[in-house]
Structure formats: C-alpha cells, structure tokens
Amino acid sequence: MRTEDLIHFCAPARLVMGCGTRAQLPALVQRLGWRCGVLVTDRFFTQNTPWVREYVEAARVRQIDVIVFNGGEPDPSTVLCDEATASVRQKAEGRVIDHVIALGGGSNIDLAKALCLTLPGGQPIKDFVGDIGGVQPLPLVAMPTTAGTGSEATPGAILIDPENATKIAVMDNALRPQIALVDPEFTYSCPPRVTADAGIDAFTHAIESFLTLDSALYDRQGHADPGYSGRSALTMLFARESMRLCARWMVPVYQDGSLKEGRAAMAYASLYAALSYGSAGLNAVHGLAYAIAAQTHKSHGSTNAVMLPYVLDEIAAVRPHEFVELADVLGLGAMTAAEASRAVPLRVREWVGQLGIATDLKAFGIAEAALETMVKDGLAVVRLAKAFPVADVPAAYRRIVLKAFAGRLSGDA
Ligand SMILES: NC(=O)c1ccc[n+]([C@@H]2O[C@H](COP(=O)([O-])OP(=O)(O)OC[C@H]3O[C@@H](n4cnc5c(N)ncnc54)[C@H](O)[C@@H]3O)[C@@H](O)[C@H]2O)c1
C-alpha cells in the first residue's frame, strides 16, 4: 500500500468506448443541449471515410448544426490554429458555436483543443500559452482515430511555434474533453507507419508514467488544480494494464492491421496510458524527444521510441522493484532486479526495431555535433526534467544521449 500518495486525478468528464459507439454521439450531443458545433478533422476523413458525412446528417436530424473544418495537419502550428479560428468564425456567420468535436489523431485533437479557447473571442492561441487565464473553453468531444497519444484524456494541446521551431503547450484541466469517444473501428484504416508510431507512443506514456516521480514528491508549484501531479497507485493501475496490452498487441497490429482484437486492445492501451500519464505526468523520454523533434521533424512516436530504451537503462537503478514487475508485465518472466534492469531495456529496444524505427540516434539522423544541444534543449523543458526521479538530472540526460548515440545498453554483451 502506497500510503504516501497524494492523488489529484483528472479524467474526461464522460468516456464512451466500444466498437460502433460513434453512432451514439448525435443523441448525446442533443441530450447535453448543444446546438451548433465545429467538427475539426483533416481531408483524409472527409474524403476517404463516411464518418463526417454520417455524423453531420445524423446531427441535422436532431436539429444540431455542424460546421466542418477539414484543414487539420500533422503537428499543428500556432499559425494553423489562428487561421482555423478566423476561417471557422467566418463560416459561422454569427451563429453561436457551443461545442467542438475532434475527429482524428493527436494532431486534430490538439488543434480542436486550442480552438475551444480561441473560437469564442477570436484571439491568437499564443495568448493562452503558459496560463489560460481562467477562460472557460468550449466543451470538446474527442474521437481519436489513432491508438497512441491519449490526447482525448489529457489537459494539454501541443502546437509547433514556427517562430522558434519548438513545440509549445497550452494546458489546463479545463481543456480535458467533456466527452472522450473511443471507437476502435476508427483505427482500422491506420496505415502501418501511423499504427507503429502511435503504438509506441502509448507504450511510452504507460511505462514513463509508471516510473515517474511520486505524487508525494511532485512540485505542484502551489497550483490548486494541477494538470500533472506525479504517479500514484491509481495511475500505476492504468499504466500496468496498458503495458500488458501493448506487450501483447503493439507489434502484431503493426504487422497485420486487420487484427480487430488487436486494434481494440491498442485503443484501450492508449486510453489507459493516458489515464496514467494524464495525471502522473512524464519525464526524460518526452523531454529529450521534443529536442529531437525540433532537429529532425520526425513523428512524435518515433522520437519517443528512439530514446525510450536508453532512458529505461538509466532509471533502472532507482526503480528496482518496478523493474521486477515490468519484466513480468512485459512477458520476460520472473527475474531479479539486476536481471530485469538489463533485460527490460533490451526487450523494449527490440520492439522499437520490430516497429521499423531506428534504435539509436545515429541511425535516426542525429549528428554527433548536435548532442550537446539536445541535452540543453531537453533540460530546458523544466517540467519534465524535474519529474525524472534521479539525483543528478543533467548528468543523467548527458549519459542517456551518449548511450543513445552509441546504441549501447547495459545489457549489451
Ligand atoms: N495533447 C496531448 O496530450 C498529446 C500527447 C501526445 C502526442 N500529442 C501530439 O499528437 C500528435 C501525433 O498524433 P498521432 O500520432 O495520433 O498522429 P497524427 O494525428 O499526427 O496523424 C498522423 C497521420 O495519420 C493520419 N491518420 C490518423 N488516423 C488515421 C486513420 N484512422 N486512418 C488513416 N489515417 C489516419 C492523419 O490524417 C495524419 O496524416 C503530435 O503532434 C503530438 O505532439 C499530443
């Protein structure tokens, strides 16, 4: 029993989950009294799936007006958000928008979260970075079509800031969706690359939050309603189940996207991971991955994946009991802490390779000359660096990056 836990757990207000559940949305929106919504998506969904048309028609029957914005793009920027704000406000022609619906991967969900803040007043999204200033965003329905980011359960929107080529976050518990509608059938059409990158993202969220700083030690900076507040027995419960599902299905579903049980399992794994990291928070993998993304512009999941084994290698020494548990959860069997500290990072790196992702920084396209900048940029994401539960974080980040460049784990012969 973790009697020291200080839990501040936050989740979406409603979770609707299961194959075919998308058909329930129009009645639910009507029941909530919403009358005019914006559906934020991208062209793939308007051109290649019936989902947008089906929703718009079913909503219309219930006298719900829907404005479709299909200009979503991977890794949305602040510029895209401001353009979308202007375009949707113009299309609304004076109608009062009372909710937003996101259909897509983490990118469309994050854009929709940002629009929940900007649509009512038309301000630029940068006005809300750091602190949304007590503004009540429009209610959001998030319908993920990838199994990975868990953005449907988290308090933040991640956007690219083209002015300094970094990712910035707009964050507040008020941005957690009012409804997370997770219909695994949405993920059936994901191509293998999207499936793999999203799958490893979910797994990273689960394992990173399982090992992160304890809630009793987390610096909430006096915040009365923190978005992230460290791991607890509650968050670890979700992380464990997520990792178990990922260990079983992440690679098979990448190899064969027609595995319906696997698609559903990964949808659950992604959501469970978000119910863990969406309150516990994350640390070094994401901190360093943001730095790699700034240099390579590669997908979020792959930048996490290349760092994950090496961060695990570093953190094993301070989480011996957890590593024994991880060996079991990941299917390696009963092990001592010393054995698990070597075997777990090796197994995770094997999965990264099986998912078609480079397993060291050199192969990922990072030059040796860029390593110091990467350490510096990683440490600059202070929120994540502070949650890495080791004594000397700068030294640990440096060791991780050097090992990741050389492709060396403690368990390598
Ligand atoms: N807010 C958060 O809590 C959070 C957490 C993690 C990641 N993110 C963000 O999420 C983004 C990554 O999201 P993602 O991995 O879901 O990918 P994505 O949303 O960027 O989508 C990648 C591509 O896959 C396509 N796609 C999505 N679903 C599909 C489907 N069912 N069938 C066919 N194609 C499909 C999209 O159209 C897009 O072209 C990054 O910008 C990252 O920063 C946010």
Side-chain angles (χ1 to χ4, degrees), residues 42-45 49 51 72-76 104-110 113 144-160 167 185-191 194 197-198 201 205 228 277 282 286 290 299-301 304:
D42 64 59
R43 284 184 185 76
F44 173 82
F45 297 100
T49 75
W51 302 324
E73 290 170 12
D75 296 325
S107 295
N108 292 353
I109 298 176
D110 281 8
K113 276 185 184 170
T145 61
T146 59
T149 73
S151 182
E152 69 277 9
T154 69
I158 315 287
L159 301 170
I160 302 258
K167 286 190 172 182
E185 290 179 3
F186 282 141
T187 67
Y188 290 0
S189 53
C190 277
V194 174
D197 289 357
D201 194 23
H205 292 152
Y228 299 110
Y277 93 92
L282 299 166
H286 274 71
Y290 287 151
S299 79
H300 177 70
N304 280 335

Side-chain angles (χ1 to χ4, degrees), residues 292 296 298 302-311 345 348-354 356-368 371 374 399-409 412:
I292 303 175
T296 63
K298 291 192 178 168
S302 68
T303 55
N304 280 335
V306 68
M307 292 316 298
L308 180 59
Y310 305 97
V311 172
V348 171
R349 190 176 60 184
E350 193 183 322
W351 282 337
V352 171
Q354 287 171 351
I357 300 169
T359 55
D360 64 64
L361 284 177
K362 208 183 297 175
F364 202 75
I366 297 284
E368 193 166 8
L371 298 184
M374 187 181 295
R399 276 194 299 274
I400 290 167
V401 164
L402 291 176
K403 281 191 217 172
F405 187 75
R408 294 285 305 169
L409 290 171
D412 282 322

Side-chain angles (χ1 to χ4, degrees), residues 275-290:
L275 292 173
S276 172
Y277 93 92
S279 289
L282 299 166
N283 53 66
V285 182
H286 274 71
L288 289 163
Y290 287 151

